[in-house]
Amino acid sequence: MGKLDDVLELIKEGVRTSKEIAERLDLTVEEVDGIIKILESLGYVEKVEMSSSCQSCPLKKICPGSCIVFKGSLYELKKSDKKGT
Amino acid sequence: MVSCCSVEKVPEEKKESLKVIALAGNPNVGKTTIFNALTGLRQHVGNWPGVTVEKKEGIMKYREKEFLVVDLPGTYSLTANSIDELIARNFILSGNADVVVDIVDASCLMRNLFLTMEIFEMGVKKVVIALNKIDIARKRGVRFDVKKMEKILGVPVIPTNAKEGAGVEELKRVIANMAEGKITTNPVIPVYEEPIEREIEHISSLLRGTPLEEMYNIRWLAIKLLTRDQEVIKLVLNYLGPGKMDEILKHISELEVHYKRSLDIVIANQKYEFIDKLMHQFVIHFGEVKETFSDQIDRVLTHPAYGILGLLGVFYVLFKFVFTIGTPMQEFLDNTFASFGEFVAGFIGNEAVRGLIVEGVIGGVGSVLSFFPLVFLLFIAMSVLEDSGYMARAAVVMERIMRKFGLPGKSFIPMVLAFGCNVPAIMATRTLEDERDRILTMLINPLVPCSARMVVITFLAGAFFSDHKALMAVSIYAISLFLALLSALILGKFVIKGEESPFVIELPEYSLPSWKVAVVHSWERSKEFLRKAGTIILLGSVAIWYLSNYPEPIGSGLSYAEKLGKVFEPFTMLMGLDWKAAVSLIFGIIAKENVIATYGIIYGIGESEEALISLMQSAMTGLQAFVLALVTTLYIPCIATIGAIRAEGGNKWALVASAYNLMLASAVGVLVYNIGLLLGF
Ligand SMILES: Nc1nc2c(ncn2[C@@H]2O[C@H](COP(=O)(O)OP(=O)(O)O)[C@@H](O)[C@H]2O)c(=O)[nH]1
Ligand SMILES: [Mg+2]
């Protein structure tokens, strides 16, 4: 087991912010965020666009801006047969 | 930025003769900034062949010599999982680059060196590391022993602050010298655990002697095979044939059994650990790693209990801000519209036309438009919340609550979006995998007050609760949100929960919001409010005016509006709302702002603001106004929202949602009204 595994494991357990993961593993938040990015590029987690429905909203033309903008990102565990074993 | 203005193309013949410098690095490390600093205005933007990924090329000049600089897509590793990674990887693999400049972000070096190691593993020797954003790292209390770093990594390291241009000249010099072969390097290669190393050696022995050895780094191929990289498997299959490939794959499977998981993560872990050990030798942290201000705030704002109070507190402050600054402006506008109405009335002889224009159009649309300052301020406040990074915290708090109430965690996305508008919020339920979760979230979503209902709440709060406007507004929010959660709990009993894939949220650092962004953004949002006032509300106002004045004017008991309202009055009276409220609620289904327009017309806003308020106050008690605000928030969603539910979930659920909301609103209305009466309000 290594740090990447540890982070992945905590995500699976339901720890929901990189900050909490950092506290649990005694790492810095930057490091955990970095690990998540590496996990993303390895295909273990996937970024979910939180405000993407605003781009495809049928009212977009007449309603340019009622969309709430989240800063921050959400990464979801990828359900792939190869991974997750 | 200078990149916008030059499209000077590099002639093909010239390109051929130039040495090529490739810029690689993670996203957002400052690659483009360095690219611009190296090339100045001499650059060309196009696409990588066959794909729509931007390719930037430019000419760097150093001591009369020219070099072709290519900006590779930013990536975190060089797997074959995305187009960006493939482009960067293939470019480096092809050997087209004479020098690879690996730009790393000194403020988060760990993840950056992960890519560096992948580049080294490919067997690329001519690498220069630009240790960029050195200023940020210093501010965070991180120092680098650059000499040692160079020794350990085996390549030159140039600290840079690309934003200020610091270190760029030195970088140019080293690049030029390396391109001309004046610098030798010895990049460090990650070493893995024995079982992995043994297998790398085994696969390498099979690959040696094949034409692959001429073209690629054998160790790199072996490592990529271990991770089951599809591109590399295909490539090797061509040269080795299926027999040997099967043998390799068999070995890989055995190793996977040994490690109980795919080797890509095993190798990544070990690579990461390898880098961790290296870094300890040249990174110096000084000073305590103290809790940042951001951390301290978060301790409260994302706390399971205080977080909820924080959320309500933030909304309270938001309304307080809006009312304090906005109310005088709103009153001023309202009076202006009233005077304008009187002024216009003097020019129109025909009584019916005068009524339509003055009472219908100016009265109805005007009463909604007079809220423009409040709406604009609301949007400013929202924008500040977003820009500061608070919304992401609100999301975390909501997420935790949602899960407690049996909703899938990710339903916080549609729930938070609903504060803006329910339509994109309903569409965002698509991010939920499970059908039943989706329906459940869709059904309760309209209970979250959108910005249109915020206007109605603001209107009633302003008219009836002079001393406690913000408190009244926040309590409507609190009750609505509580009911949304309660509904989830109850409705959730009837659906079987689906599996949700776990996720993690990265919180942004808090940042001071930029006023410019806030104003521009709010203006965008307010325009929509104005447009709505000019279309839907205008039409609604004309209709309401007509129905209230024909066949006989209002008050006669004969107007259509009265008749319509009276049909519902026996029912609405249970919650203390008369026929006027009933009519306004009916029009509110089209767009919730019509509730205000209706009042504006029925009470004749031709009168001044004070007159309207005193008229309304004599007709309604504070309790009734509170109930009206609550019912407006909860009852049937607006037409656009019903449409969105229909599009996402079908007719059945659109109907169920409307019926459920109506029932809930009635029940709550009756309950709150009667409890309020009992309490003596
Ligand atoms: N403080 C600081 N900011 C930098 C530095 N280099 C780049 N930036 C900023 O980092 C951000 C990303 O830069 P960009 O060149 O677009 O990164 P790219 O995504 O790698 O191309 C921009 O806001 C730059 O102004 C640096 O050395 N110090
Ligand atoms: Mg860039």
Side-chain angles (χ1 to χ4, degrees), chain B residues 189-256:
Chain B
I189 303 289
V191 184
Y192 302 102
E193 280 176 7
E194 208 272 328
I196 304 263
E197 284 296 337
R198 194 171 350 122
E199 203 44 49
I200 292 174
E201 186 41 46
H202 171 234
I203 296 174
S204 301
S205 70
L206 291 172
L207 298 178
R208 263 178 222 123
T210 66
L212 284 168
E213 193 172 6
E214 311 278 292
M215 297 181 281
Y216 302 99
N217 180 289
I218 292 290
R219 184 181 166 87
W220 181 77
L221 287 179
I223 292 170
K224 286 293 156 187
L225 284 175
L226 287 180
T227 65
R228 291 187 186 269
D229 185 294
Q230 290 307 312
E231 299 286 313
V232 174
I233 289 181
K234 262 187 262 163
L235 175 80
V236 173
L237 191 61
N238 276 340
Y239 288 91
L240 282 189
K244 276 192 177 171
M245 195 67 209
D246 279 347
E247 187 195 331
I248 293 178
L249 290 175
K250 203 173 124 257
H251 274 260
I252 295 174
S253 300
E254 284 168 15
L255 208 53
E256 283 170 348

Side-chain angles (χ1 to χ4, degrees), chain B residues 26-33 132-136 160-163:
Chain B
N26 288 181
N28 209 34
V29 291
K31 249 159 24 67
T32 302
T33 314
N132 196 36
K133 299 202 181 180
I134 194 81
D135 51 318
I136 297 181
T160 55
N161 172 353
K163 214 170 160 185

